[in-house]
Amino acid sequence: MQPLAQLHLSEELTQLLQSVHHIRKISKGTFLYQEGQDAEELYIIQSGKVQISKMTSEGQELTLRMCSAGEMIGELTMFYSSSKYMLSAKVVESGEVAVIYINELEKRLELDNGLAIEFMKWLSHQNRKTITKFRDLILNGKKGALYSTLIRLTNSYGKITSSGIMIDLSITNQELANFCGTSREVVNRMLSELRKNQVISVDKGIITIHDLNYLKTEINCENCPIDICNIH
């Protein structure tokens, strides 16, 4: 289970996770879980991609994470009685996940305080990443959400070229809109403005950032570490 190493957990906690799961195939277009369902499992992605999202009060889909091999999802439901999933996990690329029963993992962690503390530290790190995304949306509105999403994409998929930083990931305007919790039409207008100002260019769905500092200045970027400021 090599992808587990990407969780940045100790060898002991990695071995604990390996000892309590089985493998399940996942198919594109299906849901691992949906917001409001009873939470009994969490997952470590072995292959494929899963989109973590939440519906806003306005009925817009807000994408919080795009997760791939080695990432854990469903962890926010732990240590609550009668817990329900707070978010939805949609499979956007078929693959496999390692399934962990939440009650089994909680029992194992209760027996080892050291491992429990370490696991809680990892959960805190994941929560910090989510909070920074909500911060960008709340403090800077739709524009801030888009600009911070572009910055996070450069940190996750950026490749330096002669003309700027190319985001080596084909992404549609609707997918960008989902990250911002807004409509595709709003994102279209904001991207057109950025192209007009030569901040970005778009070629066959591939975005190149020509002026990253402009995006950072507009949202008063705090230059968070890349392990916090990413799209995963």
Side-chain angles (χ1 to χ4, degrees):
M1 289 298 176
Q2 184 61 34
L4 291 179
Q6 298 179 28
L7 285 169
H8 303 294
L9 300 174
S10 71
E11 181 179 350
E12 292 81 3
L13 192 47
T14 298
Q15 290 176 351
L16 170 62
L17 295 177
Q18 287 177 326
S19 68
V20 295
H21 71 250
H22 63 272
I23 300 298
R24 178 183 300 165
K25 292 185 179 298
I26 54 176
S27 300
K28 180 178 179 179
T30 62
F31 285 87
L32 272 172
Y33 54 83
Q34 290 182 276
E35 187 176 347
Q37 289 182 339
D38 291 337
E40 299 178 347
E41 301 172 339
L42 57 84
Y43 310 90
I44 300 175
I45 302 173
Q46 303 301 293
S47 60
K49 287 186 174 61
V50 178
Q51 170 187 296
I52 306 300
S53 62
K54 185 174 183 64
M55 296 300 295
T56 70
S57 58
E58 299 172 347
Q60 296 285 349
E61 183 180 24
L62 176 60
T63 300
L64 298 175
R65 297 162 58 192
M66 288 295 290
C67 303
S68 54
E71 296 186 72
M72 182 185 293
I73 57 176
E75 73 281 356
L76 297 180
T77 61
M78 293 189 64
F79 306 110
Y80 290 95
S81 60
S82 303
S83 181
K84 296 186 181 296
Y85 289 113
M86 302 167 59
L87 308 170
S88 296
K90 184 178 181 179
V91 180
V92 295
E93 181 182 299
S94 298
E96 294 182 336
V97 294
V99 180
I100 300 173
Y101 296 115
I102 292 175
N103 60 349
E104 288 187 29
L105 180 57
E106 289 176 346
K107 291 176 182 177
R108 297 286 293 275
L109 291 174
E110 287 174 359
L111 297 175
D112 191 321
N113 291 337
L115 284 180
I117 291 173
E118 183 180 343
F119 192 74
M120 294 304 294
K121 287 180 179 178
W122 181 81
L123 289 180
S124 177
H125 178 76
Q126 295 299 104
N127 289 339
R128 182 184 174 193
K129 292 168 67 174
T130 300
I131 288 171
T132 61
K133 293 177 183 179
F134 279 119
R135 175 202 64 193
D136 293 337
L137 178 59
I138 293 171
L139 295 182
N140 299 290
K142 307 301 184 185
K143 184 174 76 170
L146 176 63
Y147 290 9
S148 67
T149 296
L150 292 174
I151 293 169
R152 293 173 194 279
L153 284 167
T154 63
N155 288 336
S156 297
Y157 298 101
K159 289 188 175 182
I160 303 297
T161 70
S162 58
S163 59
I165 304 175
M166 180 186 71
I167 299 173
D168 191 21
L169 174 73
S170 181
I171 187 167
T172 67
N173 288 5
Q174 183 60 61
E175 289 170 332
L176 283 174
N178 291 346
F179 275 110
C180 304
T182 189
S183 67
R184 180 170 55 84
E185 290 74 19
V186 169
V187 166
N188 289 346
R189 289 198 298 270
M190 291 190 289
L191 290 176
S192 294
E193 182 179 347
L194 289 174
R195 287 197 298 267
K196 180 180 178 181
N197 293 331
Q198 299 183 333
V199 177
I200 70 168
S201 61
V202 184
D203 182 22
K204 298 179 180 179
I206 299 297
I207 299 173
T208 297
I209 310 294
H210 304 296
D211 191 347
L212 185 61
N213 286 332
Y214 174 87
L215 299 178
K216 290 185 173 183
T217 300
E218 286 292 300
I219 64 171
N220 297 313
C221 178
E222 298 178 1
N223 289 311
C224 298
I226 290 180
D227 66 335
I228 294 294
C229 185
N230 58 58
I231 212 68
H232 303 299

